[in-house]
Amino acid sequence: MRTYHCFWLLFWAGQPHQSFLTPLSKRTSGFLEKEKVLVLSGNSRQDLHRSKRSWMWNQFFLLEEYTGTDYQYVGKLHSDQDKGDGSLKYILSGDGAGDLFIINENTGDIQATKRLDREEKPVYILRAQAINRRTGRPVEPESEFIIKIHDINDNEPMFTKDVYNASIPEMSDVGTFVVQVTATDADDPTYGNSAKVVYSILQGQPYFSVESETGIIKTALLNMDRENREQYQVVIQAKDMGGQMGGLSGTTTVNITLTDVNDNPPRFPQSTYQFRAPESMPLDSPVGRIKANDADVDENAEIEYSITEGDGYDMFGITTDKDTQEGIITVKKALDFESKNLYILKVEATNTHVDPRFLYLGPFKDSATVRIQVEDVDEPPMFSRPAYIMEVKEDVPLNSVIGTVTAQDPDAAKNPVKYSVDRHTDMDRVFNINSGNGSIFTSKPLDRETLLWHNITVIAAEINNPKQSSRVPVFIKVVDVNDNAPEFAMFYETFVCENAKAEQLIQTLSAVDKDDSFNGHQFSFSLAPEAASSSNFTLQDNRDNTAGIFTRKTRYNRHETSTYFLPVVISDNDYPIQSSTETVTIRVCACDHRGKMLSCNAEALIHPTGLSTGALIAILLCIIILLVTVVLFAALRRQRKKEPLIISKEDIRDNIVSYNDEGGGEEDTQAFDIGTLRNPEAIDDNKLRRDIVPETLFMPRRTATARDNTDVRDFINQRLKENDTDPTAPPYDSLATYAYEGNGSVAESLSSLESVTTDGDQDYDYLSDWGPRFKKLADMYGSMDSDKDS
């Protein structure tokens, strides 16, 4: 529609016709205006579709924040079709029409009803139209116009943050950038200077400055030292109207922190330090702490300590405590008061992070002197060696001295020392020691083959102060002597075939010796003198610590001699020579033509050794006894008979059989006889309570005998009433439960209590009709009827 109207506007402007528009007054330089008229025009014909209109002014201007009491006049609408006779009606639509903006429908005057704020809405677009009041049809097409709100300086500059935080290194140069602050003004930046902001510093001089146009804060003072002052608070003002008088302003606070740089060297608060250390102080123990002060913080205050010179350079060390930045002096070597009692050290403290920019301030290190006085303590005796190694021959006589240990008191007093053996290391008391001179001697025989090394501990203690003691290990090696004769490496038991030939090898022998030999053992083998001439076998020494047994004759007869025992003498070549006689058992066996043993008259050699005959017989007897015991036990259990429900047919009693307990059930015929309840005469008058001691003895009352076939419930109620009124009744409550079925049962009473007093004929055949649960009762009472009939 707007394009369409512009087209007609341009078309109309190009034709040579007379204008019907009236000129409007222009806006003055002030805030007051003359009348503003928006004229609507068209042709004189009635064809509304071909109507023409023209704008003299298509926008109005209003000042914001109007403070008058009347409505603010905006402007006037006028159509060239308006003859002034009131036939036309002006209507307004669009932004705020009817609410914010109203129009006089007769004159076309537009007014604003409320105070406007450009920051909320700077432009309002409205549409105006003139219609025939009588027909209600428009005489002009709808026209659009704009109402612009002119700005006034009603908003102060606002900073983007209420508080700014910034930091810069201390000792920074002048003009070092700190931070930039920014303020915005909600007023119209295109109209006047209402939104032109200028920055200035209200607080923070002469340390900082601010650029008026950009808001950049810079340092304004040289060499600002954090150690003197660390925090600064700067107040910045932003003012509109270019900073002129009458402009609005806003402020913000900038907190500026100076960060640390390493511009201060470490300094010892004193030049000399004194410490004392006892000579018994363990290694790596702290002697004392020293600290150099550094005004810097964090890594700029980190200090490294070192010992640069002094006579205790190798005796002490120093480390840095990372938490406290202190130097810890420790012991590196054992102290000895008697050797040296005073050490002088020079300790240096140096910054680990040095800033080259500040080297001109001087060296970033400092030194101090440390004097360490060694104190004398009562020390335990000290052995001449850290350990002793001794040797002794295993055949040494008892009480022979095998070595000596030496210890002395390192103190100046030189207290006498006594020696002893720690018996936890010599449980068998094989060795002993002279408490005065430390000589160790044997107290029991030694055997190298049993134990080669003896490791004992010797204790040296001061006589005047036994608590001051020290220990030293003594390793005693037992040296071997030739005191063991050689012997067979194993038990030899071999066989010879009956059909063996002469000079046939039947067994090779070897020997071992428990003694030690540096050059190796050399054994010699020979037959014992008593068997050398009469033996049926010969022995040949192979000169390699082995020997062979050979047959001397052609055939052997196991029936004549089944076993031969051949004594063999084994000798060594050490000094003194040791020898022993060992026996080789040779059995005569039957062999095949290849020499394989078939049988011998004794136990076969190839069979493994088993249990003896006596042991086998004992085991067999135990098994038989166990089996007999089991069989007898089983037989006794089978012979045990169950107790019959009714021992005799004539012994029929009336019983109450309880089915809801853990008793014998139906087969329990040993229950109490209820006849006692029916017959009070049966009660033992002399029976009293056994659980309490009666205070007063009352003679029991006689109660009337219940009549025959009395209902059990009536009987119980009668007895209960009598006992409640009886002063001799037991003074405690008891609960007795009777499984009473009552008179109304279909099966009537199952009890046979009435049979006690009545012995009339009764028919129990109906029990057989009640099923298998009553079969037992049917058999019992049915058999009784049969006996009576017979």
Side-chain angles (χ1 to χ4, degrees), residues 409-428:
D409 184 10
D411 298 325
K414 301 297 180 182
N415 293 319
V417 177
K418 65 177 180 179
Y419 303 91
S420 62
V421 176
D422 186 357
R423 291 307 173 186
H424 292 91
T425 60
D426 185 23
M427 302 294 290
D428 296 332

Side-chain angles (χ1 to χ4, degrees), residues 117-134:
D117 188 358
R118 189 202 65 85
E119 286 71 36
E120 293 182 0
K121 190 173 180 65
V123 176
Y124 295 87
I125 301 174
L126 293 96
R127 292 178 296 278
Q129 193 174 32
I131 63 174
N132 189 296
R133 190 183 296 273
R134 181 174 57 84

Side-chain angles (χ1 to χ4, degrees), residues 282-548:
L283 299 182
D284 297 327
S285 298
V287 176
R289 291 172 175 254
I290 60 175
K291 183 178 182 180
N293 298 324
D294 194 327
D296 298 321
V297 294
D298 298 333
E299 67 175 13
N300 296 320
E302 292 182 0
I303 301 174
E304 188 72 28
Y305 296 91
S306 60
I307 300 175
T308 57
E309 57 183 66
D311 52 2
Y313 181 82
D314 58 341
M315 298 294 295
F316 300 93
I318 188 169
T319 58
T320 303
D321 189 335
K322 299 300 181 181
D323 297 330
T324 63
Q325 295 301 314
E326 292 179 315
I328 306 174
I329 301 175
T330 58
V331 179
K332 290 174 57 178
K333 293 184 179 180
L335 303 177
D336 187 7
F337 174 82
E338 289 72 26
S339 300
K340 188 175 180 63
N341 57 15
L342 179 63
Y343 295 91
I344 299 176
L345 309 174
K346 185 177 181 181
V347 178
E348 187 175 81
T350 307
N351 277 139
T352 56
H353 302 280
V354 178
D355 194 335
R357 296 178 300 169
F358 305 103
L359 289 177
Y360 68 91
L361 297 177
F364 280 77
K365 59 183 178 180
D366 194 17
S367 60
T369 301
V370 178
R371 299 169 59 89
I372 300 176
Q373 183 73 41
V374 180
E375 296 179 340
D376 186 25
V377 296
D378 190 5
E379 298 176 277
M382 182 178 296
F383 284 94
S384 59
R385 300 179 189 175
Y388 292 85
I389 299 178
M390 302 178 182
E391 291 185 353
V392 59
K393 290 186 177 182
E394 60 179 329
D395 61 346
V396 68
L398 296 180
N399 299 322
S400 298
V401 176
I402 60 176
T404 303
V405 297
T406 304
Q408 62 180 0
D409 184 10
D411 298 325
K414 301 297 180 182
N415 293 319
V417 177
K418 65 177 180 179
Y419 303 91
S420 62
V421 176
D422 186 357
R423 291 307 173 186
H424 292 91
T425 60
D426 185 23
M427 302 294 290
D428 296 332
R429 297 181 177 269
V430 179
F431 301 96
N432 213 332
I433 190 171
N434 189 307
S435 62
N437 57 20
S439 58
I440 301 174
F441 55 90
T442 60
S443 58
K444 287 185 178 181
L446 303 176
D447 186 6
R448 188 201 70 86
E449 289 72 31
T450 303
L451 187 60
L452 176 61
W453 284 93
H454 295 267
N455 302 327
I456 65 174
T457 298
V458 175
I459 303 173
E462 295 182 5
I463 296 179
N464 299 333
N465 187 10
K467 293 183 178 180
Q468 294 295 335
S469 62
S470 57
R471 298 166 175 264
V472 67
V474 179
F475 307 103
I476 302 174
K477 182 180 180 180
V478 180
V479 180
D480 184 47
V481 296
N482 191 25
D483 59 344
N484 290 281
E487 56 187 13
F488 280 149
M490 56 180 294
F491 175 74
Y492 289 104
E493 184 177 4
T494 185
F495 70 96
V496 61
C497 295
E498 288 182 307
N499 55 358
K501 298 180 180 180
E503 301 300 327
Q504 181 179 344
L505 176 65
I506 61 174
Q507 184 66 49
T508 300
L509 308 177
S510 62
V512 293
D513 195 335
K514 295 180 180 180
D515 294 324
D516 192 11
S517 178
F518 296 101
N519 299 322
H521 293 288
Q522 293 292 329
F523 302 127
S524 60
F525 299 86
S526 63
L527 293 177
E530 63 272 15
S533 58
S534 61
S535 176
N536 294 310
F537 303 91
T538 59
L539 181 68
Q540 179 180 341
D541 192 348
N542 298 327
R543 304 299 180 182
D544 60 354
N545 294 335
T546 63

Side-chain angles (χ1 to χ4, degrees), residues 9 33 165 184 223 239 296 380 415 452 457 495 525-526 532 569 633 715 753:
L9 177 60
E33 292 182 345
N165 294 300
T184 59
N223 294 334
K239 190 173 184 181
D296 298 321
N415 293 319
L452 176 61
T457 298
F495 70 96
F525 299 86
S526 63
V569 178
F633 181 75
F715 170 75
L753 297 176

